[in-house]
Amino acid sequence: MAESLLQASRQRRVKAMTAAAGSASQAALPLLLCALLAMPVAFNGMSPSSSVGWYSWDEQEFSGHSATSRLLINYPEPYRSQILDYLFKPNFGASLHILKVEIGGDGQTTDGTEPSHMHYALDENYFRGYEWWLMKEAKKRNSNITLMGLPWSFPGWLGKRFDWPYVNRHLTAYYIVSWIVGAKRYHDLDIDYIGIWNERSFDINYIKVLRRMLNYQGLERVKIIASDNLWEPISASMLLDAELMEVIDVIGAHYPGTHTVKDARLTKKKLWSSEDFSTLNNAIGAGCWGRILNQNYVNGYMTSTIAWNVVASYYEQLPYGRSGLMTAQEPWSGHYVVEAPIWISAHTTQFTRPGWYYLKTVGHLEKGGSYVALTDGLGNLTIIIETMSHKHSKCIRPLLPYFNVSHQIATFVLQGSFSEILELQVWYTKLGKSSERFLFKQLDSLWLLDSSGSFTVELQEDELFTLTTLTTGSKGSYPPPPKSQPFPPIYTDDFNVEYPFFSEAPNFADQTGVFEYFMNTEDPGEHRFTLRQVLNQRPITWAADASSTISIIGDYKWSNMTITCDVFIETPGKGGVFIAGRVNKGGILIRSARGIFFWIFANGTYRVTGDLAGWLIYAVGQAEVTAQEWYTLTLTIKGHLSAGMLNGKLLWSEVPVNFPKNGWAAIGTHSFDFAQFDNFHVDATP
C-alpha cells in the first residue's frame, strides 16, 4: 500500500529545498545527537521560496535518569546486550547519539533514589550506582556518543542542615566537578555537558563559580546547560548579565510544548527541549514522539529534544510506568519489548550524523503535519515528514491544542547541488489503527528521473516518512526474548557477594535512602556480607522523600506473603528497622505509601503500622531488642490478618489488614540511620 504513495512528478504545493554548491564546503559545527531522540536544529524562519542556508543540527537526545534504568543492569545475557544494542548500536535500533544521565544525589528523583559518589564530606566512590556502567556500555557501542550529566538531588552534607545546594557554592561546584573528573579517571568517560539542578531554582553566582572551577580543572570543553526548568527566568537573567550570558552554552527547558519565548531567542544561544516525552510508550506515545521531534524545531527553534526516559526498566506500578523508548522491566525472566518509539527515533537518528545541519526550508504541511530536511554539507540529504493526528499524538504534558490532519499530496523540489540526487531511500511508519500499523519499514527506493528534481508524496494521517541519500539504515532484530513471567513468588537473597558487580542488590529498588552491599570486616561469620542502609542524614531533596528509608522488591500483585529477614540496628537508643508487605506506593509518592509495616526499635519496643509514615498504628508493645545485635523478623500476611515473629517466636498476631489488598515487599529504617539486613526471604505463593 505505502509503496504506491510516492511518485516522482510535479504536483501541487512546491516546497523548494535549495543548497548552494559553494556553501557545501563550509565547515560543519559539531553536532551532538542525543540519547533521547528529538528532532531539532536552530531555525530562524523561512518562506517556501527563500534560499536555503544551513543551521547546526545540534543534538537529538535520549536520556536515562531518575532511577529509570534500575532493573536493566540485572538482566542476564544475552538479553541485556540486546537491549543495549536496540538503544545505542548505530544503524540498528534507536541509534542514540547522546546519553543524559542523573548525577546520583541520594534522593528520590521520580522512580527511586540513585546513590551519590560522595555520601559524606570525606567520602568518594566512583563505582556506586548503574550510571557509570550505562555510559560505558553506550560508549562501547558508539564511541562518538555525547554524555551529559544533571543533578536532581544532592547529599545532605552540602546543605549544612538546609534543603538547599547553594549554601556553599564553591563546595557544590567542587562536588559536581569531582563527578566529572571521576568519570574520566575511573571510567575513561568524557562528560560533554553539565546541568545545574533539575527543575529547581538556579543560582546565578553558582553557575559562574561552576564555570570557573571547570576551567581551573582544565575542563574548558565541558559546556553548561541551564536551567532545565522553564525558559524564564533564565533567559531574561542572561540578557541582563553579560558574564552569565558568556558562561551558559545552552538554554534547556522542560516540556515546552514545541514553543520557545522571545527572550530565549534573543540570547542567540542553542535552545533545547532538555526534557520531553515522558508518555506511555504505546502507539499514542510514539505519535507524540514523532510529532515533537519535528515540531520542537519547526515551531520553537529547539535544536535538541531529550526524551525522558531512555528505557522503562523499573517496576511498572511506580510513577510513569512504561514511559521509556522501550520496556525492560523483567530481569528475572529476560523479557523485554522493543516499543514503537524506538523506531520513531530511528527515522531521524539513523539518517543523520553529528555535524549535519537543518536546512532553512522546514515547516508545516498545508493540511497538517510537518517536515524537516538536514544535510551534511557534502551532498547527502535527509527529509523527515510527519503527519501525526491530534488524537494519536498527545503527550502527557503540556495540553495539546486541537489541530486537524487530513489526506494531502505534497511535492518537494530539489535544487542546486541537490538536483543531482538520483535516488532516495524510503523508510515508512504508520501509526494509529493497529490493523494498519507499520513500524520503520523500508520501501522501494524513490528514483528522481524527472529533470526538475521534484517528487510527490501522498500523505495520510499518522504517518512518518524518511527520505534519504544514506543507504546504511537497517531495522535490527534479535530472536524473540523469553516470554513475560511474574516476579518469582519465592525469592531469597543472602547478599553473600564479596566483589559485587553493582553496589546494590538485584531487584531491590530504593525509594528513600540508599541500600548497598556491605562487608563486615569484624564479623567472619554468617553476617560477614550484608545489605546496609548507608545514609546518616536526609539529602537535599528534589521530591518529597519519606522520613524513613525504604527499598521495595517483588510483584505489586502479591497479596498473601511471608517475609523473613535478619536485621541489625547500628544506632543505639533511637535506631529502628522494619520489614513490610503490600506496600502500595513508591517513587515521588513514597511518603504516602500504605502497607503492613513491622518495626523494631533499639529502645526495646515494636510497632505495627499501616503506613510508612507511622500514623496508622495497629499494634505496639515491648520487645527484647537493642542495638548492635542481629534479630530475625518474620511478617506473615494472609487475607485480612497479619502476624509477626521475633527470632522465631510469635510477637503479635491477628492484626486486621483491610487495606491495601496487594503490593511489594520492603525493608527499611525508621530514619536516616545506619542499619544492616541479611538473609532476606519472601514466600508469596498463593
Side-chain angles (χ1 to χ4, degrees), residues 306-531:
I306 299 179
W308 186 92
N309 54 73
V310 66
V311 55
S313 198
Y314 47 98
Y315 290 115
E316 185 171 347
Q317 294 80 11
L318 289 169
Y320 305 102
R322 283 186 53 206
S323 292
L325 299 180
M326 65 181 294
T327 302
Q329 58 191 20
E330 291 186 20
W332 49 87
S333 71
H335 179 74
Y336 63 86
V337 182
V338 184
E339 309 281 7
I342 287 287
W343 304 117
I344 297 297
S345 304
H347 271 279
T348 297
T349 52
Q350 288 203 22
F351 307 109
T352 53
R353 298 288 184 270
W356 284 47
Y357 302 110
Y358 275 104
L359 298 182
K360 185 180 294 184
T361 308
V362 303
H364 291 279
L365 296 166
E366 183 176 323
K367 294 185 179 180
S370 64
Y371 63 94
V372 295
L374 303 97
T375 181
D376 61 357
L378 300 174
N380 282 308
L381 175 68
T382 291
I383 302 166
I384 303 152
I385 307 165
E386 62 83 18
T387 58
M388 300 303 159
S389 65
H390 184 273
K391 180 180 180 180
H392 294 135
S393 70
K394 292 180 181 178
C395 303
I396 194 171
R397 66 175 76 87
L399 181 68
L400 180 63
Y402 182 77
F403 61 87
N404 186 58
V405 176
S406 60
H407 172 264
Q408 58 191 307
I409 304 294
T411 296
F412 298 83
V413 179
L414 307 185
Q415 298 180 352
S417 61
F418 292 148
S419 65
E420 300 176 4
I421 294 173
L422 298 179
E423 180 185 8
L424 290 173
Q425 309 296 312
V426 182
W427 291 82
Y428 173 72
T429 286
K430 171 68 174 179
L431 298 174
K433 296 180 181 178
S434 59
S435 60
E436 302 175 353
R437 196 169 299 162
F438 292 95
L439 289 175
F440 199 57
K441 179 180 181 181
Q442 185 171 17
L443 306 184
D444 291 339
S445 295
L446 175 66
W447 290 91
L448 306 179
L449 303 179
D450 190 327
S451 60
S452 68
S454 68
F455 62 91
T456 295
V457 186
E458 181 180 3
L459 300 169
Q460 306 287 347
E461 65 177 22
D462 298 319
E463 292 184 328
L464 188 62
F465 282 93
T466 297
L467 302 101
T468 180
T469 56
L470 297 185
T471 60
T472 52
S474 69
K475 187 173 183 179
S477 66
Y478 285 109
K483 293 182 179 180
S484 175
Q485 297 288 338
F487 195 97
I490 299 178
Y491 185 83
T492 298
D493 196 334
D494 59 13
F495 311 116
N496 289 342
V497 183
E498 186 169 1
Y499 300 106
F501 174 71
F502 180 49
S503 62
E504 298 169 272
N507 303 319
F508 280 90
D510 302 347
Q511 301 301 307
T512 296
V514 175
F515 295 74
E516 297 179 348
Y517 281 120
F518 182 69
M519 183 171 69
N520 286 306
T521 56
E522 299 179 359
D523 186 344
E526 180 185 4
H527 301 297
R528 181 170 177 79
F529 299 103
T530 67
L531 191 69

Side-chain angles (χ1 to χ4, degrees), residues 30-46:
L31 155 316
L32 313 163
L33 290 180
C34 309
L36 240 87
L37 181 67
M39 162 89 282
V41 170
F43 170 91
N44 287 324
M46 53 76 72

